Amino acid sequence: MNDNHPSRDVFDAIADPTRRRLIQLLSETAEIPLHELTSQFDMGRTAVSKHLTILKEAGLVTDRKVGRETRFRLNAAPLKEIQDWVSYYGKFWTVNMLRLQQLLEEEEE
């Protein structure tokens, strides 16, 4: 799979709280083995692996084999799409709150 063309939507990938927690854990270190990630959850290795696969499909996670161990790393670049979307609506609310404030001030006069 080409990391430049993720097969899963980033918004879909971060929709699950377990995947958001995985992103947080991966952001705290350069690389982490699967068994260390699994120990952070009340679920089995297979379930954690499925969540990691979804994150990989969205381009948020990369992995590599080191001997018999698989290590995971965060690729935060696709999160910019989320940041841009939230930023747009932040501006939307700021503008609308300013309009509301102006309207209220005009009514007071």
Side-chain angles (χ1 to χ4, degrees):
M1 178 178 307
N2 186 343
D3 287 337
N4 294 328
H5 302 291
S7 65
R8 185 175 293 269
D9 182 73
V10 175
F11 290 88
D12 179 46
I14 68 162
D16 184 274
T18 299
R19 293 192 288 273
R20 290 192 303 269
R21 176 75 175 127
L22 282 166
I23 290 170
Q24 178 186 357
L25 291 169
L26 290 166
S27 73
E28 295 169 354
T29 185
E31 198 173 64
I32 188 166
L34 178 59
H35 73 277
E36 286 185 32
L37 286 170
T38 303
S39 70
Q40 302 293 316
F41 297 93
D42 291 329
M43 62 180 74
R45 180 183 176 117
T46 303
V48 172
S49 290
K50 287 180 181 180
H51 284 291
L52 287 164
T53 297
I54 290 168
L55 292 172
K56 281 174 47 179
E57 290 172 353
L60 290 163
V61 171
T62 60
D63 65 351
R64 71 182 183 104
K65 288 280 194 184
V66 178
R68 296 175 61 192
E69 182 178 79
T70 304
R71 295 183 182 195
F72 294 87
R73 177 181 299 238
L74 177 65
N75 174 28
L79 291 173
K80 181 156 180 9
E81 182 180 354
I82 306 292
Q83 180 184 10
D84 293 345
W85 187 81
V86 170
S87 175
Y88 171 80
Y89 285 99
K91 291 174 190 170
F92 169 82
W93 283 109
T94 300
V95 167
N96 282 309
M97 293 308 273
L98 287 172
R99 287 180 186 158
L100 178 60
Q101 182 179 0
Q102 289 172 346
L103 179 65
L104 292 172
E105 288 172 357
E106 289 172 6
E107 285 185 3
E108 287 178 358
E109 294 175 357

